[in-house]
Amino acid sequence: MNRAVVCIVGRPNVGKSTLFNRIVGKRIAITEDTPGVTRDRIYAEGEWLGKYFTVIDTGGLEPDSEEIIMTNIRRQVEIAIDTADVILFVVDGLQGLNPTDKEIGNILRRSGKKVVLACNKIDTPKTPQEIYEFYELGLGEPIAVSAEQGLGIGDLLDEIVKNFPDDIDTDYDDDIIKVSFIGKPNVGKSSLINKILGEDRVIVTDIPGTTRDAIDTYFNY
Ligand code: GDP
Ligand code: MG
């Protein structure tokens, strides 16, 4: 069984975790005013119109506070490119287009991955003129959403689900047995999982603590 994976990327504080919570319908990720504070679970199951998929908040993968923001963001985008079927790129509609958004946009465009662009913090039903500047990213139409108010989420999910690959399984399956791999950093959890799965879905890194593998992977044996 192959679940569709949706990865949420974007600068700190644009509302990734709030949107994640909105999509998965529970308050799983932690939302705070300080950039880079998401540390809780970073993945969950989402569902839209009977289609099930995995959502990953890459913003929750920020381990080292001394690391500069752009390095972190690049790493998150890299993870998203490696693991996602659809990348949900979130920008801040209140702040407007930012040089970092452009940089992320360039990497995503070059990746050839399916990208859905969400312009968050549009807290009124009427779409303001400002969101049109995000067309400059060259990633198609920015979809106006308010993660906080719950506006535009349906349109956003329509667009995400529409971009799933044809061979993906979106049915609900309650027979799944959940297996967790736990252990100290760098003991080889990710490598072991990769061996079992026979694919490089889990990303292995030799920097202790930079766990990028808290990801649901479905496996038949
Ligand atoms: P992240 O760093 O990208 O995960 O951003 P968070 O989800 O932690 O949100 C950062 C800040 O933006 C928090 O103070 C949120 O309350 C706020 N925020 C998130 N979504 C919205 C929204 O739709 N409208 C407004 N006005 N603020 C929002
Ligand atoms: Mg966050």
Side-chain angles (χ1 to χ4, degrees), residues 16-17 30 38 57 59:
K16 294 184 298 299
S17 301
I30 297 169
T38 318
D57 176 8

Side-chain angles (χ1 to χ4, degrees), residues 42 75 136 157 205:
I42 50 137
R75 192 184 287 161
E136 206 185 303
L157 286 166
T205 162

Side-chain angles (χ1 to χ4, degrees), residues 142-157:
I143 300 171
V145 298
S146 170
E148 212 156 74
Q149 306 295 322
L151 298 172
I153 308 298
D155 289 346
L156 181 67
L157 286 166

Side-chain angles (χ1 to χ4, degrees), residues 22 32 35 43 58 66 81 92 99 108 112 116-117 120-121 123 137 142 159 170 178 200 202 206 215 218:
R22 215 17 110 175
E32 265 186 54
Y43 69 90
T58 66
E66 71 264 26
I81 290 168
D92 188 326
L108 292 179
V116 173
L117 179 60
N120 191 36
K121 309 197 184 180
D123 299 330
L137 293 168
E159 195 56 34
T170 56
K178 292 174 179 165
D200 275 331
V202 179
D206 48 14
I215 291 168
Y218 293 88

